[in-house]
Amino acid sequence: METDGTYESRDTRGGAVPPPTPPIDGLAAHPHAPAHVPPPHVPPPPRMPPRPPVAPGAAPGPVKPATPPAVAWLDAPRPEAEPGIWRFRHVPPPPPKETRKLAPVTVAGLLIPLVAGLLIWTAWRRGAVPYQWIPLATFTPSAWWYAGGTSPRDWHGMHAHVVYDGVFFAALLYAIARLGAWAELSRHLLAGRRPAVRAALTAGAALIALSFVWPDAFPGVGWDALPVVKPVLSLVVLIGGIDALSSPSLAYTLYALIDIAVLWPFARLGGWLDLARTWLRSRTAPAADGTRPPRDPEAPLPLSQWPDLRAAGEWPAADLLAAELHAGHMNDVDCARLRRSLEQGHRTAGGLASFVDTVLRHGAAAGAHPSGDRDLPVRAATHDLLVGQVRIGRCVAEERNPAAYRGVGLALEPAALATSLLVVGPSGAGKTARLTAPIVESLTLQALTGACAVVAVGTADAQLGPDAAYDVVIRPGDPTSPYDLDLYAGLTDPDEAAELLAEGLVGDVESLDTRRAATVLAQLIGPYRAAYGRFPSVPVLRELLEAGPEALTALLDRLPADGASGMRRELEARIRQAGTAADAGPALADRLSLLDRPAFAEFFGADGSGVRPFSLKSVVHHPLRVRVKLPERGHEEASRLLARLLLAQFTAAARTDTKRSHFVSLVLDDATGALTTGTVRSLQRLRPHNAGVVLGLRTLGEVPEPLHGPLLGAVGCRVALSGITTWDGRGFAETWGKEWVETTEVAHHTVFAAQPMTRFIHFLRKKITGRAVTTDAVTTRKVERERWSASELAHSVPPGHAVVSLTTVRGAHTPPVLVDLRS
């Protein structure tokens, strides 16, 4: 639904985000940074907007500089909201409208007291009410009346009559309003209307009420005034004397109080005060030319003035950053990076002083990414780096979505991605373009701020951003690739390296146990490393797996005599198993032959290849941006093996360092064949280690069926795109579970009359209406219903939409919501 920016910023395509800033010479490059470092950048002088045309003969006025986009972005409100809601300039939606008709009983209850009240007031004015004047005679002095009645003897009696009529009218009006449910009727008529319309309608009603109270103010109307003004004035005369109203100030004060008393109910009903506050806030908002009114000295400083630095007494650094920000020399990446560095400086001893010293020396380029980049070459999604969110769509304003999510933007952030994300949808449903690519772009931007490291894995055709947006690009099978992939993940322990390699080689083979394969590999790569000082390359390892006892005996002879007794024992066990029926070596060699191809001859640790091996352990220690382009045509099985190996290496590496401050993520654009029992078991263990995985699947059928339930349970964020099958929808429906809903059932029962006259009336009514006389039995109960059934997920999700559920590492979660990924 289009909300015209009511519930969030009108700028949904990034126009409010500062433009990219050219790179500025930063700190020392990390070992995997690109060889080319851009030259130092000298910020250009700020460009002023063109002067408006000046009329001939008129003096040119001062030109007010426009607010830079980075300042407006940094100072924008980001209120706390439910998980997944786009917080940039978010305004909570109003409560849902109750579209119900006014009950006929309410209408009758309004008319009956009104008619009765008019009759009673008419009788009162004529003096036809029994014992009408007894209360007046009882509570007033007898000197005011002639003997035997309530005829006024002097001015006291006349004014007492007026006050008495006014008191009775007020009591009668209150009774009519309460019995007639005027407040409920008014709220029903004004429900769902905009604040300005509510105020206008109530103002019109208030004007009508004032015309009855002050008929002299409306000449030519011709009706008598309601007993409101005269009773008040008569009461003042009775209290203060006949000359009480001789003072004009007192009279006008009474008139003002009467007007306020009449207008007050209409003001509350129409929300006049709230509308006035909104108008005052709009008057203090930034003007069209970017200028702001004078700031309240007691109000908190905006973020663009770096209040944290000023609170710590570092005014020179705060002034320097504020000047560069307002001069247009900073973008959102710089602001997010500096704020993160400042927060880390507060948490460490001496960190704040080091941060201030770096800022005074480098300005906006302080603490820049080791690559020197301060932005991506191109952006396609909408980001808010201050809170780490990327906007993926807008929640549909439908009844199935919770009220807090209707019509608002939906965003992803590391707090949700740390629970891992599973995206399931057929080809063409937008899995890569609308979800995976924006997530990768957000993570690469946050890597420039030092907040995360990302490894994006996909084919060369996958639109995951240009190579210039990454620090390390690995292209197995491409001779021009500057980096190689380390099959052993940079490990030195043969058992751990063998376990990860076995997971990649035979993790998808049900007939071969992974632990058994790991044992065979460890019995070979351990002795080989002890003999040659390195792990074997792919061709050598394949030869060792296919080798018989004679060839392995030659390796045994090369082992050093001292300090290798354990490796000698491992190799001897392997020699005894070689060639037997239970030997797993030939099966492992057959799987390894997928990588022992001419296209990969210079990769995976080949001697003399000239390319640098890259290990996923590097992303644990550095905020790197890594892109792995898997071979596609002719090497599909090899690509799946490599994806499976990368996933196993990542889950192992992410759990090694528990003290890092940055988020680590692996994005598999196509996880077909990459998920095994071991990797699914490791996914949920990533949550306490500030790491997560993004998995893309065309269907759950690309995962072994026994892993469907464990996979959906291991990930915290799930996305079902339009076009999935009912088989896939069944898994999501079972994972999302059921909810309690209130249902209403109406049963029609025929009325059987016992009296002859009643039976005749019912017979006559049936002949006239054609329907039997029935009574309705309404039953309201709560039942459990699936949040989204398998059939609804398969057939009710429109194209370009998805059903999304999110979970954060703190346990907060969202129910499945329908999201329009195109808006």
Side-chain angles (χ1 to χ4, degrees), residues 749-783:
H749 302 286
T750 304
V751 177
F752 297 96
Q755 300 299 326
M757 187 63 184
T758 307
R759 287 200 301 269
F760 173 76
I761 295 175
H762 288 182
F763 172 77
L764 185 62
R765 179 178 175 182
K766 183 177 180 180
K767 289 297 183 182
I768 296 174
T769 62
R771 292 179 296 177
V773 179
T774 60
T775 182
D776 296 341
V778 181
T779 303
T780 302
R781 60 179 180 176
K782 287 187 175 182
V783 297

Side-chain angles (χ1 to χ4, degrees), residues 305-306 309-310 313-323 355-357 359-360:
Q305 294 296 327
W306 303 92
L309 274 176
R310 299 182 189 276
E314 303 294 343
W315 288 80
D319 291 339
L320 175 61
L321 292 179
F355 171 77
V356 171
D357 179 68
V359 167
L360 294 178

Side-chain angles (χ1 to χ4, degrees), residues 55-76:
V63 178
K64 299 179 180 179
T67 302
V71 176
W73 168 82
L74 190 59
D75 292 341

Side-chain angles (χ1 to χ4, degrees), residues 469-743:
Y470 297 92
D471 304 314
V472 176
V473 179
I474 305 173
R475 296 186 292 269
D478 186 353
T480 62
S481 176
Y483 290 95
D484 189 6
L485 182 63
D486 190 353
L487 292 182
Y488 303 101
L491 300 172
T492 57
D493 184 5
D495 293 330
E496 189 176 357
E499 182 180 357
L500 297 180
L501 186 57
E503 192 72 41
L505 290 177
V506 298
D508 60 334
V509 181
E510 297 181 1
S511 60
L512 188 59
D513 186 18
T514 307
R515 291 175 295 181
R516 181 182 171 193
T519 302
V520 173
L521 292 172
Q523 290 173 346
L524 292 174
I525 64 177
Y528 187 90
R529 188 175 189 277
Y532 294 95
R534 65 180 184 277
F535 285 130
S537 61
V538 171
V540 174
L541 181 59
R542 182 183 179 185
E543 292 178 2
L544 292 176
L545 290 171
E546 295 175 339
E550 296 80 7
L552 295 178
T553 303
L555 177 62
L556 181 65
D557 296 339
R558 288 187 61 93
L559 291 176
D562 299 333
S565 57
M567 296 301 171
R568 187 179 297 275
R569 185 170 58 251
E570 289 284 312
L571 188 55
E572 290 174 350
R574 173 60 193 153
I575 293 174
R576 290 192 298 268
Q577 295 175 2
T580 62
D583 185 15
L588 286 171
D590 182 64
R591 298 290 290 179
L592 194 62
S593 64
L594 296 173
L595 301 181
D596 189 16
R597 306 297 303 163
F600 307 121
E602 298 180 358
F603 286 88
F604 312 125
D607 298 335
S609 60
V611 293
R612 291 175 287 177
F614 178 81
S615 169
L616 289 187
K617 291 179 61 177
S618 301
V619 300
V620 179
H621 306 289
H622 307 285
L624 291 176
R625 301 167 294 168
V626 182
R627 174 73 163 97
V628 181
K629 293 187 175 182
L630 298 177
E632 185 176 13
R633 298 172 182 84
H635 301 283
E636 289 83 358
E637 287 298 325
S639 297
R640 295 180 181 181
L641 189 152
L642 291 175
R644 192 163 52 247
L645 180 62
L646 287 170
L647 180 58
Q649 291 183 356
F650 177 83
T651 55
R655 301 198 305 268
T656 57
D657 189 0
T658 59
K659 296 182 180 180
R660 67 171 182 275
S661 60
H662 65 275
F663 173 67
V664 180
S665 178
L666 172 70
V667 180
L668 285 176
D669 181 57
D670 185 5
T672 302
L675 293 166
T676 63
T677 303
T679 53
V680 170
R681 189 183 303 113
S682 302
L683 288 180
Q684 206 162 17
R685 301 177 184 174
L686 296 177
R687 297 189 183 187
H689 298 282
N690 197 20
V693 176
V694 179
L695 304 171
L697 292 171
R698 285 179 288 272
T699 175
L700 288 177
E702 297 174 340
V703 179
E705 186 173 356
L707 296 181
H708 289 184
L711 173 61
L712 289 170
V715 298
C717 304
R718 308 169 189 91
V719 178
L721 296 169
S722 61
I724 65 172
T725 63
T726 52
W727 291 272
D728 292 342
R730 185 181 302 114
F732 282 98
E734 293 176 356
T735 305
W736 285 327
K738 301 180 179 180
E739 62 179 345
W740 288 98
V741 296
E742 190 175 88
T743 61

